[in-house]
């Protein structure tokens, strides 16, 4: 993969902002790394020449990113969403790992280590730390960075070896990059459930908000586990989820929605991906309600680390108590958790044709801002992926 320097590299001015435009039609290769980063003082997404990340930890892996996806989390982080918690988390990681830390703060960012956004990726291993045993240069891998680390919207990224797995052999990099962040978020909830209740096989499950990245993966995973799956979507998401063969599809905007939900009452578990707790009362006693709309990051941003964490803990305790007292239901929030073991499970399911990628649209590397704009509209069906090897004209800040 090469970036090409145009025959006439020129300077454009927009107000006081200077841009170097790099066109892709010449034959001169550019050295180094380019990354889409969040600007500090005036939060926005810009393309910058960026240092190739180095292996600071013996367990690190340097990856040339071939494809990456854009998640709602990335869009919100442009406006510094989650900065308080993620900054504190990053500092704790740095202190715990000492000088050989993968969690090195980016000099482009004054407060947190996430100037380069982006979570999931697929690419090729370029080099490995001396304690890396699972991978070697040339391996094709996929995975997701932690939100408190440097991200994947860069031509190169570094992650610990336990954050990645060999990608599915029957998928392209673009297809593989559509899975990790969404799938790992869902599987963290599944692990929570199975740890307390046992295998999720053959359960009656409701997925509320099934047309996005997490939802389309969840439907397929649950069907592969033999579950009876009911999905709540809008009319525009119907065709997407229909192709994933859930048992029932409900239009949450329809007048008869709650009546239909009542007829199916008695769910073993509800995965709420839409922030609507209507279905809580239709979970059977001892069932589980797992919600992906935790207020923790925003509360910490609004109220500070201590007060925001206390407020979120109080809110969770209140919801847990009410759900248990009123409905006999276990309530919990779900969070993304990196896991090589889960990535390997996904790989096996994909290679066994149990799960397939659901991609809404693919953008070229130079159209990253358009990919962010699409995800920001929250109308996506499946995942939005960026082809890091395809580009037209690159305007470097």
């Amino acid at each position: 993969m090469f970036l090409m320097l145009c025959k006439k590299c020129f300077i454009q001015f927009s107000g006081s902002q200077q841009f170097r435009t790099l066109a892709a039609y010449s034959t001169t290769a550019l050295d180094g790394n380019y990354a889409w980063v969040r600007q500090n003082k005036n939060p926005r997404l810009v393309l910058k020449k960026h240092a190739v990340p180095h292996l600071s930890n013996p367990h690190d892996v340097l990856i040339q990113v071939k494809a990456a996806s854009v998640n709602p989390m990335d869009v919100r982080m442009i406006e510094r969403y989650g900065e308080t918690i993620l900054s504190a988390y990053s500092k704790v990681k740095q202190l715990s790992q000492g000088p050989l830390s993968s969690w090195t703060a980016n000099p482009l960012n004054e407060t947190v280590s996430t100037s380069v956004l982006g979570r999931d990726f697929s690419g090729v291993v370029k080099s490995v730390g001396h304690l890396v045993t699972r991978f070697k240069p040339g391996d094709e891998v996929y995975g997701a960075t932690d939100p408190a680390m440097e991200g994947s919207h860069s031509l190169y990224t570094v992650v610990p070896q336990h954050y990645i797995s060999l990608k599915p052999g029957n998928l392209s990099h673009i297809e593989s990059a559509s899975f990790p962040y969404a799938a790992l978020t869902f599987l963290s909830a599944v692990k929570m459930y199975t740890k307390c209740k046992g295998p999720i096989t053959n359960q009656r499950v409701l997925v509320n908000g099934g047309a996005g990245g997490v939802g389309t993966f969840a439907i397929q995973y649950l069907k592969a586990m033999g579950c009876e799956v009911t999905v709540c979507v809008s009319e525009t998401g119907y065709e997407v989820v229909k192709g994933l063969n859930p048992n029932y599809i409900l239009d949450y905007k329809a007048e008869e929605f709650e009546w239909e939900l009542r007829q199916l009452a008695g769910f073993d578990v509800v995965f709420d991906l839409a922030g609507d707790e209507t279905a809580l009362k239709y979970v059977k006693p001892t069932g589980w309600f797992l919600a992906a709309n935790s207020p923790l990051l925003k509360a910490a941003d609004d109220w500070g680390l201590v007060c925001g964490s206390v407020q979120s803990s109080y809110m969770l305790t209140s919801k847990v108590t009410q759900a248990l007292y009123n409905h006999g239901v276990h309530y919990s929030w779900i969070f993304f958790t990196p896991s090589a073991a889960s990535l390997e499970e996904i790989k096996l399911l994909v290679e066994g044709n149990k799960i397939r990628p659901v991609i809404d649209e693919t953008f070229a590397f130079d159209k990253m801002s358009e990919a962010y704009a699409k995800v920001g509209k929250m109308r996506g069906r499946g995942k939005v992926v960026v082809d890091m090897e395809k580009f037209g004209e690159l305007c470097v800040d």
Side-chain angles (χ1 to χ4, degrees):
M1 186 276 297
F2 294 100
L3 288 176
M4 305 301 183
L5 182 65
C6 65
K7 294 178 180 177
K8 292 178 64 178
C9 188
F10 59 97
I11 302 294
Q12 287 185 327
F13 292 89
S14 175
S16 61
Q17 198 66 39
Q18 187 181 64
F19 295 92
R20 185 177 59 206
T21 301
L22 307 176
Y25 51 77
S26 185
T27 57
T28 305
L30 286 176
D31 294 325
N33 185 31
Y34 288 82
W36 287 92
V37 305
R38 181 187 62 193
Q39 197 78 314
N40 284 326
K41 297 180 181 179
N42 178 27
R44 63 192 181 97
L45 189 68
V46 296
L47 179 65
K48 284 185 176 290
K49 181 72 182 283
H50 201 65
V52 175
H54 63 280
L55 299 176
S56 58
N57 187 291
H59 295 281
D60 281 352
V61 179
L62 174 65
I63 297 165
Q64 183 179 20
V65 180
K66 299 292 187 177
S69 68
V70 180
N71 298 284
M73 178 74 166
D74 302 316
V75 178
R76 299 182 72 181
M77 285 179 70
I78 293 179
E79 299 295 332
R80 296 190 177 280
Y81 170 73
E83 179 176 277
T84 305
I85 289 286
L86 297 178
S87 177
Y89 179 54
S90 180
K91 289 174 182 176
V92 169
K93 281 287 189 179
Q94 290 180 53
L95 290 172
S96 66
Q97 294 185 14
L100 298 178
S101 175
S102 305
W103 301 72
T104 305
N106 188 321
L108 289 175
N109 194 305
E110 300 168 354
T111 54
V112 297
S113 60
T114 52
S115 283
V116 181
L117 302 180
R119 305 276 66 85
D120 28 19
F121 60 85
S122 182
V124 177
V125 174
K126 301 304 290 183
S127 60
V128 300
H130 70 270
L131 293 182
V132 173
T133 58
R134 300 174 56 237
F135 305 100
K136 64 183 184 302
D139 284 345
E140 295 188 322
V141 298
Y142 78 139
T145 70
D146 194 285
M149 297 176 67
E150 288 283 67
S152 62
H153 292 164
S154 172
L155 299 183
Y156 294 89
T157 192
V158 165
V159 292
Q161 65 172 330
H162 59 278
Y163 279 32
I164 59 176
S165 166
L166 295 176
K167 79 172 186 66
N170 57 336
L171 296 186
S172 67
H173 284 294
I174 290 174
E175 292 170 322
S176 297
S178 70
F179 280 116
Y181 189 76
L184 291 174
T185 299
F186 176 73
L187 290 179
S188 71
V190 171
K191 286 183 178 180
M192 184 189 308
Y193 179 84
T194 56
K195 185 176 180 179
C196 299
K197 294 282 289 184
I200 202 169
T201 52
N202 303 312
Q203 302 290 288
R204 297 190 66 238
V205 184
L206 174 69
V207 178
N208 184 28
V214 179
T216 51
F217 175 83
I219 295 167
Q220 297 181 85
Y221 182 89
L222 293 167
K223 289 296 292 182
M225 297 298 111
C227 295
E228 178 190 287
V229 182
T230 300
V231 186
C232 301
V233 293
S234 66
E235 185 178 358
T236 58
Y238 176 83
E239 289 300 325
V240 174
V241 301
K242 179 183 178 183
L244 304 178
N245 300 313
N247 297 85
Y248 304 99
I249 305 174
L250 307 183
D251 181 354
Y252 68 84
K253 292 184 178 180
E255 291 184 7
E256 62 274 16
F257 168 63
E258 193 156 356
W259 180 86
E260 292 176 337
L261 199 57
R262 193 179 304 120
Q263 308 312 303
L264 297 168
F267 297 106
D268 295 293
V269 58
V270 170
F271 293 97
D272 176 28
L273 311 176
D276 181 357
E277 298 182 357
T278 300
L280 182 59
K281 56 190 173 186
Y282 301 119
V283 183
K284 73 178 187 182
T286 73
W288 281 66
F289 189 94
L290 299 167
N293 61 330
S294 164
L296 176 60
L297 296 183
K298 187 176 188 307
D301 289 339
D302 292 343
W303 300 95
L305 180 62
V306 175
C307 291
S309 298
V310 170
Q311 184 186 56
S312 296
S313 297
Y314 173 79
M315 186 180 299
L316 178 59
T317 301
S318 176
K319 286 180 175 291
V320 169
T321 302
Q322 290 178 27
L324 195 59
Y325 180 78
N326 294 330
H327 308 288
V329 173
H330 298 277
Y331 182 104
S332 185
W333 291 327
I334 61 178
F335 300 92
F336 161 78
T337 305
S339 170
S342 292
L343 288 169
E344 289 166 3
E345 180 183 7
I346 297 164
K347 176 178 180 291
L348 291 175
L349 288 168
V350 170
E351 291 177 340
N353 296 315
K354 300 292 186 181
I355 295 177
R356 62 177 175 84
V358 180
I359 297 175
D360 186 3
E361 189 171 354
T362 302
F363 290 83
F365 181 60
D366 62 303
K367 303 297 183 183
M368 183 74 76
S369 58
E370 295 180 18
Y372 270 70
K374 180 175 180 65
V375 174
K377 293 177 182 178
M378 301 298 287
R379 296 173 183 171
R381 299 294 173 254
K383 291 296 294 287
V384 169
V385 181
V386 176
D387 184 347
M388 309 293 273
E389 297 188 288
K390 182 180 180 182
F391 54 89
E393 191 173 81
L394 300 177
C395 294
V396 183
D397 194 2

